Amino acid sequence: MDEKLEPIFDEVLRRNPGEPEFHQAVREVLLSLGPVVAKHPEFAERKIIERICEPERQIIFRVPWIDDTGQVRINRGFRVEFNSALGPYKGGLRFHPSVNLGIVKFLGFEQIFKNALTELPIGGAKGGSDFDPKGRSRDEVMRFCQSFMTELYRHLGEYTDVPAGDIGVGTREIGYLFGQYKRITNRYESGVLTGKGIEWGGALVRTEATGYGAVFFLREMLKARGDDIADRTCLVSGSGNVALYAIEKIHQLGGRVVACSDSAGVVHDPKGIDLELLKQVKEVERGRIADYAGRRGHDATYLAGGNIWDIPCDVALPCATQNELTGRDAATLVGNGCIAVSEGANMPTTPEGVDVLLDAGIAYGPGKAANAGGVATSALEMQQNASRDRWSFEATEARLAEIMTHIHDLCFATAEEYGAPGNYVTGANIAGFQRVAHAMVALGLV
Ligand code: GLU
């Protein structure tokens, strides 16, 4: 790390104890910024980096609710409004037992730069709760969402803060959250949440956008190397929203996804995942991939507790969660001849894993660039809400593809400019940071 940045990082460690994921996310960005601070003395003078590392506002609240047996339950809710230099706070809500302040801060920090890379007017935020939706009934999820919004609504607004989904929060939960917001405020304020159902203010392609976007980014990385996705054997970890639509787009482009996973195990399906069956199990029945393997028959094997990265592939898309791909996994991928990794999840590769992939010189698209398609399409949803308009699937998908190509080209060109050709980590960090930093200088000491 540049010696000017080391004391800033030490201060982040000192002021944010016990938040390893947040430290990891900050460190990864600061490692790229040496040449930027050398070129722009005004950033140091205005303490831009110190300010970017400190959230503008952090909200932590109690979420009481009643389960189906009549018992009182208490969870903790979070919203970290990290940076609004470029637009209203924007970023998802995650409901998962692993959620704590450090996780929300890492996600919010990543979101600042990701959103900046889209070049759309959105600031960075993240929120959620340690509520575990697994095994909860529809009514329990609804009561939880209503209680969560009863506190959070006062901090939101289409010009203030616009949440969306993330792990554990999909269209159903956004519906319950939106319904409660509407009831409390007496405003049909469509632009206050994104990821809405298409019948009530949502946008076509938002559901598909993160997965599709990660594949569009992959396509651009391969194109830059004179290659493409057709006939490539692919691994997609996870089996949630991002994974499902990454699989769909890979299949549309002629690649073959031979495995996916959940927290319990891995499905290996050498003939290619049957996406209709997987969607039925995951989206309709809210089941586990073990059920998929059982119904797919002898073509597919289920590996309880297995590691998806041990399966040989040409291309890997980590679409599950943070730190799911380790240094050892990265070495296995490289050893098996993998040529590209495009991250649909947020920070899925550990720092050791990133080093292995970069050292091997394979095409590596970090999440803050490769998975920006979801939030970019949220911004398109906000545009449609603001103009009370509705765009076609084709037009919206074309716009998403254009945005992903632009993010790729921006990261590629920035990496070249700063002497790290082909390094999308450097390109994404510097390009995203510069946009926010220039806006923060222009807005004065805010
Ligand atoms: N949770 C998604 C992300 O990680 C989407 C956020 C949004 O659409 O606001 O970028």
Side-chain angles (χ1 to χ4, degrees):
M1 190 179 297
D2 186 280
E3 61 180 24
K4 284 204 212 61
L5 299 172
E6 266 169 20
I8 301 179
F9 185 60
D10 289 343
E11 187 64 2
V12 169
L13 293 177
R14 193 187 68 74
R15 301 185 73 191
N16 303 277
E19 298 179 352
E21 293 84 3
F22 179 53
H23 303 159
Q24 184 184 334
V26 171
R27 183 168 173 276
E28 197 230 284
V29 171
L30 295 197
L31 282 174
S32 301
L33 296 185
V36 185
V37 288
K39 194 167 157 192
H40 292 281
E42 73 274 20
F43 292 164
E45 192 235 322
R46 306 311 288 165
K47 290 209 169 28
I48 295 296
I49 299 180
E50 290 90 327
R51 278 153 64 199
I52 283 190
C53 292
E54 183 69 17
E56 290 178 12
R57 188 177 299 111
Q58 307 184 53
I59 302 149
I60 305 181
F61 51 101
R62 178 170 70 203
V63 189
W65 56 284
I66 293 189
D67 72 17
D68 285 346
T69 69
Q71 209 190 317
V72 172
R73 302 268 179 174
I74 296 141
N75 284 101
R76 188 171 291 173
F78 301 91
R79 185 72 179 165
V80 174
E81 298 177 335
F82 228 117
N83 196 295
S84 61
L86 296 175
Y89 305 110
K90 184 84 198 83
L93 298 171
R94 175 177 294 190
F95 292 169
H96 191 271
S98 65
V99 167
N100 57 41
L101 183 60
I103 296 274
V104 177
K105 279 164 70 178
F106 119 63
L107 290 163
F109 188 76
E110 289 280 292
Q111 201 82 43
I112 303 171
F113 307 103
K114 183 197 306 193
N115 294 5
L117 286 172
T118 69
E119 300 201 341
L120 294 163
I122 40 180
K126 203 80 182 196
S129 174
D130 57 1
F131 173 71
D132 186 0
K134 213 179 276 167
R136 291 286 164 208
S137 71
R138 182 199 60 189
D139 290 348
E140 288 178 321
V141 169
M142 181 176 71
R143 288 195 292 274
F144 176 81
C145 288
Q146 290 176 337
S147 181
F148 186 89
M149 186 53 92
T150 300
E151 175 57 35
L152 190 62
Y153 87 95
R154 71 192 77 244
H155 304 286
L156 306 182
E158 67 172 306
Y159 298 109
T160 309
D161 186 355
V162 183
D166 196 84
I167 294 171
V169 178
T171 312
R172 179 181 71 171
E173 291 73 24
I174 294 294
Y176 298 148
L177 292 164
F178 183 66
Q180 188 72 351
Y181 182 88
K182 181 174 84 63
R183 192 175 191 198
I184 295 172
T185 60
N186 195 32
R187 286 162 64 90
Y188 204 109
E189 196 183 329
S190 300
V192 74
L193 287 167
T194 61
K196 299 180 295 296
I198 45 171
E199 305 84 1
W200 40 277
L204 292 167
V205 192
R206 177 62 191 88
T207 302
E208 295 83 357
T210 313
Y212 279 19
V215 178
F216 290 146
F217 195 89
L218 169 69
R219 178 171 67 180
E220 295 307 311
M221 288 197 298
L222 291 176
K223 199 194 282 173
R225 294 166 174 238
D227 214 324
D228 67 25
I229 298 172
D231 298 323
R232 290 296 183 184
T233 299
C234 308
L235 305 177
V236 175
S237 66
S239 49
N241 166 267
V242 180
L244 288 179
Y245 293 96
I247 296 171
E248 183 162 285
K249 186 50 71 182
I250 289 170
H251 285 176
Q252 286 173 10
L253 295 177
R256 185 159 41 119
V257 179
V258 297
C260 66
S261 61
D262 62 20
S263 58
V266 174
V267 165
H268 186 199
D269 194 344
K271 289 199 172 144
I273 297 281
D274 175 345
L275 190 61
E276 285 321 300
L277 177 59
L278 186 62
K279 280 187 182 174
Q280 171 68 25
V281 170
K282 292 291 302 180
E283 289 185 323
V284 181
E285 300 165 19
R286 295 178 180 271
R288 309 286 289 168
I289 56 161
D291 306 333
Y292 167 91
R295 274 144 71 180
R296 179 84 164 122
H298 60 267
D299 285 347
T301 42
Y302 178 66
L303 310 156
N307 182 351
I308 189 168
W309 310 122
D310 288 340
I311 298 169
C313 71
D314 301 317
V315 167
L317 289 95
C319 297
T321 195
Q322 65 271 359
N323 292 328
E324 56 162 309
L325 200 162
T326 65
R328 180 200 159 274
D329 299 330
T332 307
L333 288 173
V334 172
N336 282 336
C338 174
I339 59 166
V341 173
S342 183
E343 295 183 340
N346 289 311
M347 207 170 76
T349 307
T350 64
E352 299 74 33
V354 173
D355 288 345
V356 171
L357 299 177
L358 291 176
D359 287 349
I362 74 169
Y364 167 59
K368 67 171 76 71
N371 75 35
V375 76
T377 309
S378 279
L380 303 182
E381 183 173 335
M382 292 161 75
Q383 285 183 31
Q384 290 167 75
N385 293 147
S387 57
R388 303 189 185 284
D389 197 2
R390 182 187 175 92
W391 306 352
S392 71
F393 193 96
E394 291 69 28
T396 316
E397 191 186 1
R399 184 84 178 92
L400 168 63
E402 186 181 87
I403 291 168
M404 295 313 297
T405 302
H406 184 73
I407 295 174
H408 170 274
D409 295 352
L410 177 66
C411 296
F412 190 88
T414 307
E416 289 234 303
E417 185 189 334
Y418 282 87
N423 186 329
Y424 294 97
V425 176
T426 303
N429 287 335
I430 294 182
F433 170 80
Q434 292 205 97
R435 234 187 132 232
V436 184
H438 286 304
M440 286 177 73
V441 171
L443 297 186
L445 197 57
V446 289

